[in-house]
Amino acid sequence: MGHGPAVRRRKLGEELRKLRDGTGLTSGAAASLVGWHQSKVSRIETGRSGAKPADVARLLDAYGIDDPQLRSLLQALADSAGSGGVDWAQAYRSLLPPQYRDFISLESQARSARTLETSVVPGLLQTPAYARAVTRAALGGLPPDKVDSLVEVRIARQEVLRADPPLMLSAVLDEAVIRRSVGGPSVMREQLRHLLDVASLPHVRLHVIPFQHGGYVGLTGPFIMFSFPAISDLDVVVIDHLTSSLYLERREDLEAYSAAFDTVQALALPSTESLNLIARTAREGPG
């Protein structure tokens, strides 16, 4: 459990150590191959210090790793562990708190995401008007220009759904999400129709847990679980709080949340019935 970059540094170090062990090299021998002091390799492998993407490339060259997907992932991991963001997000760096930059970095690198939402539409599926209403409600008192910038960030994040390859998204929504009229009836109708449009994408799966199910695991709080290509040990669960985020990476935590998501997905309506409920709510109005 920890802060985004620290989790990423530790994971990067673990993977580099495994690769070095696979070659039979000691940390001292690896350091000699790339012209470093042994302590630098040790600090990187233990997560005590970060590594630049170029540093990772040098180590991978020394270890004879030529898998392009693995190289790209580890170099991107090094970049996120140091900067906690992606290129477009740097323009908003002064506005975004560190935990949000960390989250954006994880989201941009992930292969898939599984999320349970109990109160609001997931950020990747929000319309600009809905995002503005949520931001104003959650962060009351912000100047209009800052609200606009945060909405721009929210919409820019959605590019991961149009990337090549796109993020595979599975979202389970409590019925309260589609019933709560955020921003007023017209904003909510537009949002619900947008959900239907996005759900038509082959890499987006959307399910709704109807009120009739009563209580269920996860009801007390939403979460999102990111999975990454090539290295399953990089998977992480993110739980948001009012002023911070928790990053869970222990295998037992990952297994618990993965099982919880499977459970709520099984409780939810099938995809077609879920979309029918959303469409009916859009016609009749939330509430």
Side-chain angles (χ1 to χ4, degrees), residues 176-190:
V177 172
I178 65 172
R179 295 291 186 185
R180 178 173 288 106
S181 184
V182 176
S186 62
V187 169
M188 200 62 202
R189 278 195 297 270
E190 179 191 32

Side-chain angles (χ1 to χ4, degrees), residues 37-247:
H37 192 279
Q38 185 273 338
S39 62
K40 179 172 181 177
V41 173
S42 178
R43 289 196 303 271
I44 290 173
E45 290 185 352
T46 57
R48 286 180 292 164
S49 66
K52 297 178 181 178
D55 293 336
V56 171
R58 292 177 68 181
L59 289 172
L60 296 178
D61 288 342
Y63 302 158
I65 305 300
D66 55 9
D67 181 335
Q69 185 179 46
L70 180 57
R71 290 179 67 96
S72 177
L73 175 63
L74 292 179
Q75 287 178 270
L77 187 59
D79 190 43
S80 72
S83 66
V86 290
D87 289 345
W88 61 261
Q90 300 312 307
Y92 301 94
R93 188 175 181 85
S94 62
L95 176 67
L96 304 179
Q99 65 267 23
Y100 194 17
R101 297 199 302 270
D102 301 339
F103 182 89
I104 291 170
S105 179
L106 291 172
E107 187 176 71
S108 68
Q109 297 164 28
R111 175 192 62 204
S112 64
R114 289 173 284 172
T115 183
L116 168 68
E117 283 291 351
T118 58
S119 57
V120 297
V121 171
L124 291 179
L125 305 178
Q126 292 179 7
T127 65
Y130 183 94
R132 182 169 285 104
V134 168
T135 302
R136 285 174 175 164
L139 302 171
L142 277 184
D145 60 326
K146 288 192 175 181
V147 172
D148 290 343
S149 293
L150 288 172
V151 172
E152 289 172 10
V153 169
R154 184 71 52 87
I155 302 307
R157 281 175 45 204
Q158 297 174 6
E159 286 298 318
V160 296
L161 295 178
R162 294 182 286 274
D164 184 19
L167 177 75
M168 307 293 290
L169 177 65
S170 294
V172 176
L173 312 180
D174 190 282
E175 187 174 347
V177 172
I178 65 172
R179 295 291 186 185
R180 178 173 288 106
S181 184
V182 176
S186 62
V187 169
M188 200 62 202
R189 278 195 297 270
E190 179 191 32
Q191 176 61 73
L192 294 175
R193 290 167 183 154
H194 180 65
L195 285 179
L196 297 173
D197 290 340
V198 179
S200 67
L201 296 173
H203 51 279
V204 175
R205 296 178 62 189
L206 191 59
H207 297 271
V208 176
I209 300 181
F211 286 144
Q212 68 192 53
H213 277 302
Y216 57 88
V217 61
L219 179 62
T220 57
F223 63 86
I224 185 166
M225 186 172 185
F226 291 115
S227 296
F228 297 83
I231 306 174
S232 62
D233 283 349
L234 295 180
D235 293 359
V236 60
V237 172
V238 184
I239 304 172
D240 277 331
H241 294 281
L242 182 62
T243 58
S244 64
S245 298
L246 294 180
Y247 293 75

